[in-house]
Amino acid sequence: MRAARLIKMVLLLQSRPVMTAAELARELEVSERTVTRDAQALSEAGVPVYADRGRAGGYRLVGGYRTRLTGLARGEAEALFLSGVPGALREMGLEDAASAARLKVSAALLPSLRDAPDTAAQRFHLDAPAWFREPEPPALLPVLAEAVWGDDRVLARYRRGEGTVERRLEPYGLVLKAGVWYLCARVSGSGSFRTYRIDRFTAVDRLGEGFDRDPEFDLPGFWAEQAERFARSILRAEVVVRLSPEGVRRLPHAVDPLAARAALAEPGAPDAAGRVTVTLPVESEEVAHEQLTALGPEAEVLAPPALRERFAADAARAAALYHRGDG
């Protein structure tokens, strides 16, 4: 445990010019007194950790000291090579850079861990796109990836409805969702953050103007918020459904997970057969018909009347098929 903490301390000091005892304590999740003892232990072991005294002081490594990655356990080394998505890196034009980085990391590993890239690749593989489609990477993705890495403003034109809109954007991050690429960007001059489908861009020009990133912006958090907002925005209608216990179990697999959670959060009291009545948010009656059909007799639509009648007609047609007796 302590050995892993000492290695992490050295790597932290390699990545920053100087760190205070409080900063190290926070990163290592220990007390400042433990940081002092660990720094002393590293110094005695030959790692040149130097402590600057005073209010502006802290800990730093002397003489550009660098450590090889000899402290990695096998599991840590293998996990390191799971962090990249080869297809996504290739589409962004970063495959060569990623390959060079992996080679450098491999060279720094102990000889006993040099097979970590192969063992990881043969055990875990991420295939991001959805089934039954061969997505074509957007032609403008590489230039946007370069702008994201360089914190460069772009002048972008994209399709909206029947026309084309032009915006000066500050590209903050890229997201790959089910094979579709999105750009999260701040509109220059407005301060508002928006999300754009990259395949709808018709032109992107880098302006050669840098921008200062908002240090409070959190890409995963922003995307999660936007995704939930979008999911809620399309659930414009409601369906009242009576579900069997099996229907309750299968509902999250048949409809949008957000809708299922909302419906099952406050179910009605179970009847004698254990069935519960829920109000399910749906995109439309048409979509609800398609989704709830998958539940078969485990779901009974109570409202709206038109949708109930449609399911009743489906049931009558199915009953007629199975009672013809010509099978």
Side-chain angles (χ1 to χ4, degrees), residues 189-228:
S190 74
S192 63
F193 288 91
R194 298 181 185 176
T195 302
Y196 302 87
R197 273 187 63 140
I198 294 178
D199 57 10
R200 292 179 182 165
F201 283 103
T202 60
V204 175
D205 298 314
R206 294 179 67 180
L207 298 176
E209 303 173 3
F211 66 90
D212 294 326
R213 294 177 66 93
D214 181 351
E216 300 298 320
F217 180 81
D218 172 50
L219 180 59
F222 174 77
W223 176 257
E225 180 182 326
Q226 293 293 303
E228 182 167 343

Side-chain angles (χ1 to χ4, degrees), residues 11-99:
L11 293 175
L12 285 169
L13 292 174
Q14 282 185 185
S15 64
R16 307 179 196 179
V18 64
M19 293 185 69
T20 66
E23 289 172 335
L24 284 167
R26 184 167 56 251
E27 292 282 354
L28 299 172
E29 298 181 348
V30 296
S31 67
E32 293 186 31
R33 181 173 295 181
T34 298
V35 168
T36 301
R37 289 198 297 265
D38 285 353
Q40 181 64 31
L42 287 170
S43 181
E44 292 173 356
V47 178
V49 178
Y50 182 78
D52 291 311
R53 305 298 179 185
R55 295 182 59 185
Y59 291 92
R60 60 185 175 88
L61 293 174
V62 179
Y65 176 87
R66 310 293 293 177
T67 182
R68 291 169 60 85
L69 299 180
T70 54
L72 286 177
R74 169 163 292 278
E76 294 169 331
E78 291 172 346
L80 182 64
F81 288 92
L82 294 175
S83 60
V85 184
L89 292 171
R90 181 172 56 254
E91 292 176 8
M92 287 189 291
L94 300 175
E95 185 177 29
D96 290 344
S99 177

Side-chain angles (χ1 to χ4, degrees), residues 263-292:
L264 298 176
E266 298 181 2
D271 62 14
R275 299 178 302 175
V276 296
T277 300
V278 301
T279 299
L280 176 70
V282 295
E283 184 175 345
S284 65
E285 290 187 21
E286 185 67 31
V287 172
H289 177 263
E290 179 181 345
Q291 293 176 334
L292 295 176

Side-chain angles (χ1 to χ4, degrees), residues 28-274:
L28 299 172
E29 298 181 348
V30 296
S31 67
E32 293 186 31
R33 181 173 295 181
T34 298
V35 168
T36 301
R37 289 198 297 265
D38 285 353
Q40 181 64 31
L42 287 170
S43 181
E44 292 173 356
V47 178
V49 178
Y50 182 78
D52 291 311
R53 305 298 179 185
R55 295 182 59 185
Y59 291 92
R60 60 185 175 88
L61 293 174
V62 179
Y65 176 87
R66 310 293 293 177
T67 182
R68 291 169 60 85
L69 299 180
T70 54
L72 286 177
R74 169 163 292 278
E76 294 169 331
E78 291 172 346
L80 182 64
F81 288 92
L82 294 175
S83 60
V85 184
L89 292 171
R90 181 172 56 254
E91 292 176 8
M92 287 189 291
L94 300 175
E95 185 177 29
D96 290 344
S99 177
R102 285 192 293 268
L103 286 173
K104 290 178 181 179
V105 173
S106 296
L109 292 172
L110 286 172
S112 61
L113 300 180
R114 295 280 167 80
D115 64 339
D118 294 331
T119 57
Q122 294 305 316
R123 286 165 174 77
F124 300 98
H125 176 68
L126 176 60
D127 185 8
W131 283 101
F132 310 119
R133 59 180 297 183
E134 295 184 6
E136 190 72 25
L140 296 172
L141 177 60
V143 68
L144 283 169
E146 291 177 0
V148 168
W149 279 115
D151 293 339
D152 290 335
R153 286 190 180 90
V154 299
L155 181 65
R157 288 174 288 280
Y158 63 96
R159 297 187 302 275
R160 188 170 71 181
E162 298 295 324
T164 301
V165 178
E166 185 174 274
R167 292 282 187 273
R168 288 168 60 91
L169 301 176
E170 298 171 358
Y172 267 63
L174 298 169
V175 175
L176 176 60
K177 171 71 171 179
V180 180
W181 283 97
Y182 297 86
L183 172 71
C184 300
R186 182 169 60 185
V187 180
S188 294
S190 74
S192 63
F193 288 91
R194 298 181 185 176
T195 302
Y196 302 87
R197 273 187 63 140
I198 294 178
D199 57 10
R200 292 179 182 165
F201 283 103
T202 60
V204 175
D205 298 314
R206 294 179 67 180
L207 298 176
E209 303 173 3
F211 66 90
D212 294 326
R213 294 177 66 93
D214 181 351
E216 300 298 320
F217 180 81
D218 172 50
L219 180 59
F222 174 77
W223 176 257
E225 180 182 326
Q226 293 293 303
E228 182 167 343
R229 183 180 301 171
F230 172 75
R232 292 185 184 280
S233 71
I234 65 174
L235 300 176
R236 302 185 183 94
E238 290 184 343
V239 175
V240 181
V241 189
R242 183 183 290 130
L243 299 170
S244 68
E246 177 64 12
V248 170
R249 186 188 71 81
R250 289 167 51 186
L251 184 67
H253 305 287
V255 303
D256 182 90
L258 182 66
R261 288 197 299 270
L264 298 176
E266 298 181 2
D271 62 14

